[in-house]
Amino acid sequence: MAAELLRGYAKAMGQERIWTAALTIIGDEILSGRTQDKNVAQIAAWLNVQGIRLAEVRVVADRTEAIVEAVNTLRARNDYLFTTGGIGPTHDDITVDAIAEALGVAVEHHPRAMAILERYYATRGGLSEARARMARTPAGAELIDNKVSGAPGIRIGNIFIMAGVPHITAGMLDALTGTLEGGRPVVSRTIGCWVAESEVADLLRDAEKAHEGVAIGSYPFFRDGRTGANFVVRSADTDLVDRCIADLVRDLEAAGRVVAPDGI
């Protein structure tokens, strides 16, 4: 729904197309708290550089039906869907099978993936049956290069199936850089004040309304016994961000607030 609202708003306002992506994080270890996810931040930042907005994130268990439901829902309402986790060599790595089921296709050992793994493991004990599981893909898929650990990621349609280990995910993102269609990257600037956000809520609302095309986020904190907030202005238009920041600073200072130019 978030992606649909973004696209609908852009169309209604005559703005340029907004490209969106969703992320499905797959793994019982994330839901149990044993592992803390670090991929959301790096994928969101990478997508922004590609001109794509991360519109929603879902965490699902290692259950086929949960993965199928998430994949079919999120791929339908976003331009792209990324998944992380569940593509390793063990029996509980079921992401490939679940996504193949979601798409109604078979699972096959990708010939190029097999060749990659055979080379990679030639000096590492050979390609065992377990390791060969990492060459399994939904039928018709393409590969995402992985220069970190050999086993490739997978691309099929608008779905990108990636490793859960953050530094391996980063390598796969690097291989995809510049290959996806997107819009302009979102730029942002931050200012901060030692003020309760409730005291400037009307000012922030009026500033966003006066500068059509920007979004203003307010992020309160309590530090050193004092209440403060950072305000982040975002837009694909750098000049619009600069104008909004200038007006915000003017209005905050007129209200007697001391503004920290890059946030607190």
Side-chain angles (χ1 to χ4, degrees):
M1 182 61 69
E4 292 167 356
L5 288 173
L6 281 171
R7 285 196 285 266
Y9 177 76
K11 182 177 181 181
M13 301 306 299
Q15 296 174 357
E16 63 189 80
R17 189 194 193 297
I18 296 176
W19 296 78
T20 67
L23 170 62
T24 300
I25 302 165
I26 299 166
D28 292 340
E29 70 278 6
I30 302 295
L31 290 168
S32 71
R34 289 194 303 272
T35 301
Q36 293 186 351
D37 177 80
K38 297 181 180 179
N39 279 319
V40 174
Q42 74 165 342
I43 290 175
W46 179 86
L47 284 168
N48 185 56
V49 174
Q50 314 307 309
I52 302 165
R53 316 282 178 87
L54 181 59
E56 50 190 320
V57 178
R58 187 181 297 192
V59 183
V60 300
D62 292 311
R63 292 189 296 107
T64 297
E65 61 272 24
I67 299 169
V68 168
E69 193 278 330
V71 165
N72 279 334
T73 298
L74 298 178
R75 72 185 176 97
R77 67 186 184 202
N78 291 279
D79 297 297
Y80 305 108
L81 169 62
F82 289 76
T83 74
T84 60
I87 60 171
T90 59
H91 70 283
D92 59 343
D93 289 309
I94 62 170
T95 296
V96 167
D97 301 87
I99 291 179
E101 181 173 323
L103 299 177
V105 300
V107 174
E108 62 185 17
H109 282 83
H110 195 288
R112 189 164 76 86
M114 287 292 288
I116 290 169
L117 292 173
E118 285 172 354
R119 288 195 301 270
Y120 184 82
Y121 286 110
T123 58
R124 296 174 173 86
L127 184 60
S128 64
E129 182 177 349
R131 288 168 171 174
R133 281 179 54 83
M134 294 185 288
R136 298 167 73 251
T137 69
E142 303 173 13
L143 302 182
I144 303 170
D145 288 340
N146 171 15
K147 296 180 180 179
V148 177
S149 63
I154 303 161
R155 175 178 184 172
I156 181 164
N158 69 335
I159 304 172
F160 299 82
I161 307 168
M162 311 181 81
V165 180
H167 73 278
I168 299 177
T169 306
M172 292 180 179
L173 291 174
D174 186 59
L176 288 172
T177 296
T179 66
L180 306 187
E181 190 171 2
R184 287 189 293 169
V186 174
V187 296
S188 66
R189 285 188 59 191
T190 302
I191 58 175
C193 284
W194 290 104
V195 62
E197 63 175 352
S198 60
E199 296 179 23
V200 294
D202 290 344
L203 186 152
L204 296 174
R205 183 197 61 231
D206 292 344
E208 186 174 88
K209 187 175 180 180
H211 296 83
E212 187 176 289
V214 305
I216 302 175
S218 177
Y219 303 96
F221 57 84
F222 186 77
R223 192 182 307 158
D224 302 325
R226 304 171 67 190
T227 297
N230 287 313
F231 311 118
V232 181
V233 178
R234 300 182 178 91
S235 174
D237 186 329
T238 302
D239 291 339
L240 186 56
V241 170
D242 290 343
R243 289 196 299 272
C244 184
I245 285 286
D247 289 351
L248 264 180
V249 170
R250 179 199 64 206
D251 294 344
L252 287 165
E253 290 180 341
R257 311 296 179 183
V258 177
V259 178
D262 297 308
I264 299 171

